């Protein structure tokens, strides 16, 4: 086969994979946003078929031969095509090991599990979700063996979300953080907490919706390419760099919850919308890794969104959306309230400092679950014990405990550590950014464009053209978790006058 | 191959076809409801790939061999499987003639065209839509040759929407209607029209949304299987008998527009939700033909929804949704207002009587377009001339003229006559129903369940298990358009005291 023809086939293959992935995404988005409750059955059939068809296509010997042929001529390929072949070969080898039937069953299971999880959460009834979760864990252990049979199962899963990261690495990372965060949290616990009661006044959903529109404007999200919807659990669905959807969840007694969900998911959306055109509809489209993705969402959410200059910039507008609720509140008080450190139950509403402890609970449980030393039936008890141990809080029910997150229902085991890694990457990016330009002047005027331009240049535009570690190098220099710990120490020492 | 194995393959094939169709539907629904404007490109790629994959699967020689094998043993098949094989063979022969590349191009074109049509309508600029429409017409003429090479192209297209119907039949049908409706409309024109100004008071969208929820309740649409969304042009998307979506469009200065859209689309939804389980995920799922489908939507919209007993039943509730706007209005006045006969511009807002003239305009244009005697560029002029001739109205712009409907943008030429046929089927069903049971007693108490049960029994449950003509026979007896004309004459003679 001529090289040109092989490259045309490569592009065709990737467009097909893109199409299957997007169809799946559209159905999932629909399920989470507007689909009526009793519609899981048909959707399950469709998702199962699409997964089977995609698998049949991708795991075929024709695909293997095409990739081999191109790899043999890799010296003749430009960087774009070489990286495509490299990534596809990597996935191909893994996928080839998964029997088509198993892959379809797994896809159908995930569809059912998400439905069951929603209902279990609604009724705070873990037993409703347990059988599905047991099957998901069994599948994940099996799949881990397909991904990388040489590794311990949880290491193999972790590597799928953040290449190069394993338990040995994370044990060290979390230990280093814990060592510096635990005394900090303890010292803060002895201080008078700032008042945050005004965050829990009545904030009507309609006004919050308008506020979300405003926040998306501040983030410079182009609404002709980025929509916002409402779901039980906020998430971002990226179809391509001209079509990204974010979602949020409004609580009328909690202004900060949706506000920071919008900024967080908006950060994911910024990333996706900035990926270069040249990698669209290929395996290199989309963010580089989950850790890098979370570094961007948490950058906007915390490093910018929970900073004093940002809050001062948007506060006058905020008071127009909520004139009565915020009549007696200053920007400074708002800043203190949304940075109040309080060991709590819900990860996505946690402050920046205790957040990592929420992640550590999940990391410990996943490590044992996938390692085979914890049974699904014992998750609630273990969860509650670890929350008591790490955060000092009593979990009153599973809705606010082990049923709060959608990740496991979606089959994602090994994702959670990405949040902590991402936070740490982000802090180091900020440090570099501050060394190169004036970050806070523009932010204090509500202008995020210099920050976004820097992130686009160092992170976003590459998509997966660079390996995750290269992106981190590019934007952080040599990664050092101590920078993150230092950032937190400085911020909270000032805030709490330690 | 054993018969059992062949039947298992048949079921598998139909599930795959169902999956491709549903994925396409989910993307189309998303595009029309929540997708941001600038997202057509990626969706076009996906729809193109899915169409190509589906085509490759369905038009393969393996499919042909399987269907032949089963057809050879048709005497051993039960009715369900025999009908499946019969319908699939019919489609297979047609599809086999369409080259995969053309099919993909066509799918991508439709996606682009819908986007262009929306923009063209928004700006009332036919030129924006013209090039796409020219390509759509060319494709349709070509496809007509694939569907049935022995027929004139427009006859072949008509047959796809309503098997057995062609221009000769419709010319007679429309002439018969015209003969009786034109004098009726003329006589009404000489009478004092009822007041309908109150329909155009200010009706806030939020209140209209709640009113839609109420109407869906009256229609007994189970909200766990039927959702409502908002689109430029109302439609129904049916995924299966447990997952149907309807849409509407709210105008704050027009209460009747969305009200009758909801009842109309609700009628389509009733049909789909009542189709038997045994035909789900097969080619026999869904309504029997477009004409039969429209008979159901227009049954609920007009025969029930625009009847005095129905309006009297729901009026007290309506006044709770719109207390100020309807304070000085009686049920009887409302009934007269929504049945006001007024030759007008917009088909979906037309009264029951002049509605057929709107359809005839489109029929004439399609006949000439697909027959090759009218060029796309001349559509606006012809449209405006025919509206003047048939309805006596001046079309002020293309937004309210030839750009008002989405059908052509979706590649549907030959669909419009179904609306008129459906109306006529419905009138005859009502006559039969009245002969068998008390229709108006329950309706006057707001109870539609006896009507719905009758329609379910005679029409809905079969899906495509019966041929369209059999369904019509089943519910109407021998079809006779004079029944429809008689129904209209009686209703409007009373209303206008002729």
């Amino acid at each position: 086969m001529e090289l040109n023809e092989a490259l045309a086939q490569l592009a065709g293959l990737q467009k097909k994979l893109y199409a299957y992935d997007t169809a799946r995404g559209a159905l999932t988005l629909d399920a989470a946003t507007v689909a009526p409750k009793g519609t899981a059955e048909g959707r399950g059939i469709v998702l199962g078929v699409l997964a089977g068809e995609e698998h049949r296509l991708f795991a075929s010997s024709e695909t293997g031969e095409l990739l081999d042929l191109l790899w043999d001529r890799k010296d003749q390929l430009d960087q774009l095509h070489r990286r495509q072949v490299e990534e596809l070969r990597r996935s191909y080898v893994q996928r080839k090991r998964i029997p088509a039937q198993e892959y379809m069953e797994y896809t159908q299971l995930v569809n059912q599990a998400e439905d069951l999880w929603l209902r279990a959460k609604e009724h705070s009834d873990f037993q409703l979700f347990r059988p599905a979760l047991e099957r998901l864990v069994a599948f994940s252990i099996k799949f881990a063996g397909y991904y990388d049979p040489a590794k311990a199962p949880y290491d193999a899963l972790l590597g799928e979300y953040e290449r190069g990261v394993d338990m040995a690495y994370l044990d060290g990372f979390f230990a280093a953080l814990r060592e510096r965060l635990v005394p900090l949290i303890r010292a803060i616990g002895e201080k008078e907490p700032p008042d945050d009661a005004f965050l829990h006044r009545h904030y009507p959903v309609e006004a919050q919706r308008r506020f979300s529109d405003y926040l998306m404007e501040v983030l410079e999200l182009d609404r002709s390419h980025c929509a916002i919807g409402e779901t039980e659990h906020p998430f971002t669905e990226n179809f391509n760099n001209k079509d990204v959807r974010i979602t949020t969840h409004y609580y009328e007694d909690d202004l900060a919850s949706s506000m920071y969900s919008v900024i967080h998911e908006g950060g994911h959306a910024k990333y996706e919308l900035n990926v270069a055109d040249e990698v669209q509809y290929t395996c290199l489209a989309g963010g580089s890794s989950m850790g890098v993705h979370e570094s961007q969402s948490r950058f906007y959410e915390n490093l910018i969104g929970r900073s004093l200059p940002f809050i001062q910039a948007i506060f006058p507008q905020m008071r127009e959306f909520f004139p009565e609720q915020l009549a007696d509140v200053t920007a400074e008080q708002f800043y203190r309230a949304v940075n109040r450190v309080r060991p709590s139950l819900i990860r996505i509403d946690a402050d920046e400092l205790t957040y990592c402890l929420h992640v550590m609970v999940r990391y410990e449980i996943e490590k044992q679950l996938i390692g085979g030393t914890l049974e699904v039936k014992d998750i609630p008890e273990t969860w509650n014990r670890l929350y008591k141990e790490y955060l000092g809080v009593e979990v009153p029910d599973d809705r606010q405990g082990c049923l709060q997150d959608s990740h496991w229902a979606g089959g994602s085991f090994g994702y959670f550590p990405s949040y902590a890694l991402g936070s740490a990457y982000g802090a180091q990016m900020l440090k570099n950014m501050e060394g190169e330009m004036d970050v806070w002047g523009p932010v204090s005027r509500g202008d995020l464009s210099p920050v976004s331009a820097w992130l686009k240049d160092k992170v976003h535009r590459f998509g997966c053209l660079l390996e995750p570690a290269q992106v981190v190098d590019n934007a952080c220099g040599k990664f050092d978790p101590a920078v993150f710990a230092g950032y937190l120490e400085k911020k909270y020492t000032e805030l709490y006058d330690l």
Side-chain angles (χ1 to χ4, degrees), chain A residues 305-321:
Chain A
R306 283 192 164 88
S307 73
L308 184 57
F310 178 78
I311 289 169
Q312 283 170 328
I314 68 165
F315 201 71
Q317 275 288 338
M318 280 186 74
R319 283 175 82 160
E320 293 192 14
F321 292 108

Side-chain angles (χ1 to χ4, degrees), chain A residues 177-425:
Chain A
L177 278 185
R178 203 156 37 207
E179 192 181 330
R180 290 175 66 175
L181 301 193
V182 169
L184 193 58
I185 293 168
R186 191 168 306 131
I188 288 170
E190 285 161 19
K191 291 285 194 169
E192 186 65 30
D195 174 35
D196 66 353
F198 59 82
L199 292 177
H200 302 284
R201 289 172 180 167
H202 183 70
Y203 293 90
V205 167
E206 244 336 295
Q208 288 200 58
R209 286 196 185 115
R210 288 192 297 271
F211 181 45
S212 296
D213 290 336
Y214 166 70
L215 289 171
M216 289 176 76
E217 210 176 284
V218 173
L219 288 168
E220 298 178 299
L221 287 165
D222 179 349
R223 295 298 287 270
S224 65
H225 297 293
C226 184
I228 182 166
E230 294 170 32
T231 50
E232 173 65 27
H233 190 101
F235 66 90
T236 298
E237 180 73 50
N238 55 299
F239 293 121
N240 57 66
N241 70 351
K242 294 188 184 57
D243 190 358
V244 179
R245 320 297 176 88
I246 66 171
T247 75
T248 188
H249 190 111
Y250 297 108
Y251 298 94
E252 297 212 314
D253 63 350
D254 190 346
L255 175 60
S257 177
S258 168
M259 171 178 173
Y260 285 102
S261 286
V262 171
I263 303 178
H264 178 98
E265 303 305 334
H268 284 304
K270 293 291 289 181
Y271 192 168
E272 293 293 337
L273 292 166
N274 279 334
V275 171
D277 284 339
E278 61 175 356
V279 299
Q280 293 307 307
Y281 318 127
T282 76
C283 67
L284 303 179
S288 172
S289 73
M290 288 305 144
V292 176
H293 233 305
E294 291 300 332
S295 79
Q296 300 307 293
S297 53
R298 297 186 62 76
F299 195 99
Y300 283 95
E301 178 192 353
N302 291 323
L303 301 174
I304 301 296
R306 283 192 164 88
S307 73
L308 184 57
F310 178 78
I311 289 169
Q312 283 170 328
I314 68 165
F315 201 71
Q317 275 288 338
M318 280 186 74
R319 283 175 82 160
E320 293 192 14
F321 292 108
F322 309 108
E324 287 165 32
Q325 298 91 331
L326 298 177
D328 58 348
V329 181
T330 65
E332 168 103 21
Q333 285 170 321
F334 194 90
Y335 165 67
R336 292 186 176 277
V338 296
N339 284 295
R340 175 174 170 156
V341 176
R342 175 162 41 192
S344 66
L345 292 166
I346 307 295
R347 178 184 57 84
I348 63 164
D349 297 333
D351 59 83
E352 206 177 346
L353 191 55
T354 59
Y355 186 89
C356 291
L357 302 179
H358 290 262
V359 171
M360 289 179 214
V361 169
R362 289 152 177 82
Y363 171 64
E364 286 303 323
I365 289 178
E366 289 186 341
K367 203 160 70 167
Q368 294 174 39
L369 256 186
I370 305 297
T373 57
L374 176 70
E375 286 184 67
V376 166
K377 73 173 169 55
D378 298 322
I379 289 178
E381 194 194 319
T382 310
W383 181 286
N384 299 354
R385 184 172 51 72
L386 288 172
Y387 260 78
K388 181 79 192 161
E389 192 180 318
Y390 287 18
L391 287 129
V393 295
E394 293 286 350
V395 178
D397 54 38
D398 292 339
R399 182 181 159 80
Q400 298 173 79
C402 64
L403 289 174
Q404 67 181 266
D405 296 308
S406 62
H407 301 62
W408 293 341
S412 297
F413 298 88
Y415 187 123
F416 287 115
S418 314
Y419 291 109
L421 286 168
S423 300
Y425 296 158

Side-chain angles (χ1 to χ4, degrees), chain A residues 72-85:
Chain A
D72 285 344
R73 303 195 203 166
K74 62 176 178 291
D75 298 338
Q76 295 167 258
L77 301 179
D78 59 18
Q79 188 202 9
L80 195 63
H81 291 107
R82 200 163 49 238
R83 276 288 293 151
Q84 287 173 10
V85 176

